[in-house]
Amino acid sequence: MTQQDKNQSSNLPTRKLGTQGLEAGAIGLGTMGMTMAYGAGDESDGIATIRRAYDLGVTLFDTAELYGMGTGSNEQLLGRAVKDFRDDVVIATKFGFDMSVPQTGAGFALNSRPDHIREVTENSLRHLGTDHIDVLYQHRVDPDVPIEDVAGAVGELIAEGKVRYLGLSEAGPDILRRAHAVHPVSVLQTEYSVFERAVEAEVLPVVRELGIGFVPYSPLGRGFLTGTVKPAAEYPADDMRSWDDRWQPGNYEKNLAAIHELTALADAKGITVTQLALAWLLAQGDDIVPIPGTRSPQRLAENVAAAHVTLTPQDLARVQEVLPQGAAGSRYPEAIMPSW
């Protein structure tokens, strides 16, 4: 990273996430990969990366009960990392699974009953070492619990000062409207990147109509858009890329070819393909704050510097030409695919 990049990234611009008062640096940090899904992590490295992110201007930090597999380990890591500057950052965490039920091929059982929401929230507050959660997301829509009950339960926690903003994750237009009618939804978190474009047709228009901010997770295609990829068979079993459809034979080669074309565009602009992918997302609206995850302080600085990259209309057209409909391959197996 050049000195110019360092100087720029330390002045990370802020963005408004919706109309309820939530603001954050234009690039956030997802912490899931520090404890799950991408192989074994190192706690000291995770804490160092989070603190480095804060130094670079990152203020939105994303965790979840699920990321500690019910133990609270991911939330605890984040809480320890931000304890010296807790009031300067936005902590987002999530409820929505029943971690006491063994995982099946369809993932963990869902549970968004109001009493469970309160139980998980109290646990999260303790694990994070804080007296309030800035954004509390429903991690996945629970078909057995009316969304009105969910919004009402989080609204009660907001009234008590334990939560500041209600968020939803992987919710469709109808769910968004119904929740928002009970308590304002401040932000929606759903996968979105040059690889994954499903939200563009119906979800983003409703988000903007209702004044809801948008937080894309997996903005780098789970690492594919970093340009440092290898076939699925070369990843260990505890790395989700070993079974991710986009890494499987046939899809992998098509996606790799697209990355090569995007890399050529990035090289011509003097940036990395990672920065191109993040700058593309930021160019989709000033109500968007992506949360790329990384364990590397160097990669982190590269990600943050993407907030200062300007893409021309020609650049955006070229990205669309290379990936008109996103990546080859589905983003989740059918059994755990979120349903809108």
Side-chain angles (χ1 to χ4, degrees):
M1 185 180 186
T2 66
Q3 186 60 48
Q4 181 181 12
D5 285 339
K6 292 178 182 178
N7 291 339
Q8 287 181 328
S9 59
S10 63
N11 297 312
L12 184 63
T14 60
R15 289 184 159 203
K16 293 181 179 180
L17 279 168
T19 57
Q20 302 303 313
L22 180 60
E23 294 189 25
I27 300 285
L29 179 65
T31 66
M32 181 185 77
M34 295 178 181
T35 56
M36 69 174 289
Y38 295 96
D42 180 273
E43 180 176 313
S44 61
D45 287 347
I47 289 175
T49 299
I50 291 166
R51 291 177 176 168
R52 178 59 176 150
Y54 174 71
D55 290 341
L56 292 172
V58 173
T59 58
L60 175 59
F61 294 90
D62 186 86
T63 181
E65 177 196 32
L66 177 69
Y67 303 162
M69 303 297 283
T71 67
S73 61
N74 194 275
E75 292 173 320
Q76 291 165 11
L77 183 153
L78 178 58
R80 285 193 291 272
V82 305
K83 64 180 181 179
D84 293 335
F85 45 85
R86 165 65 187 100
D87 292 340
D88 298 331
V89 299
V90 175
I91 292 179
T93 191
K94 309 178 194 72
F95 66 86
F97 293 101
D98 189 338
M99 306 302 296
S100 68
V101 177
Q103 186 178 14
T104 68
F108 285 102
L110 298 173
N111 187 345
S112 283
R113 296 193 311 271
D115 61 335
H116 188 67
I117 294 172
R118 184 169 289 274
E119 177 186 357
V120 173
T121 299
E122 294 294 345
N123 289 339
S124 293
L125 288 167
R126 185 176 69 255
H127 293 149
L128 289 162
T130 186
D131 64 355
H132 70 281
I133 294 164
D134 296 294
V135 181
L136 184 62
Y137 288 102
Q138 182 190 41
H139 208 152
R140 290 292 186 270
V141 174
D142 186 341
D144 295 328
V145 180
I147 195 63
E148 292 83 359
D149 293 353
V150 174
V154 177
E156 290 177 2
L157 292 166
I158 291 172
E160 295 168 16
K162 295 180 178 181
V163 174
R164 293 180 64 209
Y165 299 103
L166 166 62
L168 297 179
S169 179
E170 293 285 357
D174 178 62
I175 293 293
L176 284 168
R177 291 186 190 280
R178 289 166 51 197
H180 197 71
V182 173
H183 191 282
V185 178
S186 292
V187 65
L188 174 69
Q189 181 178 143
T190 299
E191 185 173 357
Y192 185 32
S193 69
V194 297
F195 259 28
E196 175 50 51
R197 313 282 277 281
V199 298
E200 292 179 336
E202 298 180 359
V203 174
L204 284 180
V206 171
V207 160
R208 281 153 182 168
E209 174 193 335
L210 299 177
I212 298 172
F214 191 81
V215 173
Y217 74 82
S218 295
L220 299 175
R222 303 185 187 133
F224 219 122
L225 291 161
T226 65
T228 56
V229 293
K230 52 192 177 183
E234 296 183 25
Y235 289 97
D238 62 352
D239 190 309
M240 67 184 298
R241 290 168 290 189
S242 66
W243 51 260
D244 192 305
D245 195 36
R246 295 166 181 167
W247 268 263
Q248 302 308 311
N251 290 334
Y252 176 80
E253 289 77 11
K254 292 176 184 176
N255 293 331
L256 189 62
I259 292 299
H260 288 159
E261 292 192 60
L262 294 179
T263 299
L265 173 60
D267 289 345
K269 295 185 66 66
I271 60 175
T272 67
V273 70
T274 296
Q275 291 173 327
L276 175 67
L278 291 172
W280 179 89
L281 263 177
L282 293 173
Q284 305 311 304
D286 58 10
D287 54 354
I288 289 176
V289 174
I291 49 169
T294 182
R295 301 172 180 175
S296 163
Q298 181 178 0
R299 179 73 72 184
L300 171 75
E302 177 185 327
N303 292 347
V304 171
H308 299 279
V309 172
T310 300
L311 299 182
T312 67
Q314 292 76 20
D315 295 332
L316 296 172
R318 177 57 181 151
V319 173
Q320 181 67 18
E321 182 182 2
V322 173
L323 284 169
Q325 297 179 316
S330 61
R331 62 191 182 108
Y332 287 113
E334 184 176 354
I336 61 172
M337 179 71 79
S339 174
W340 296 341

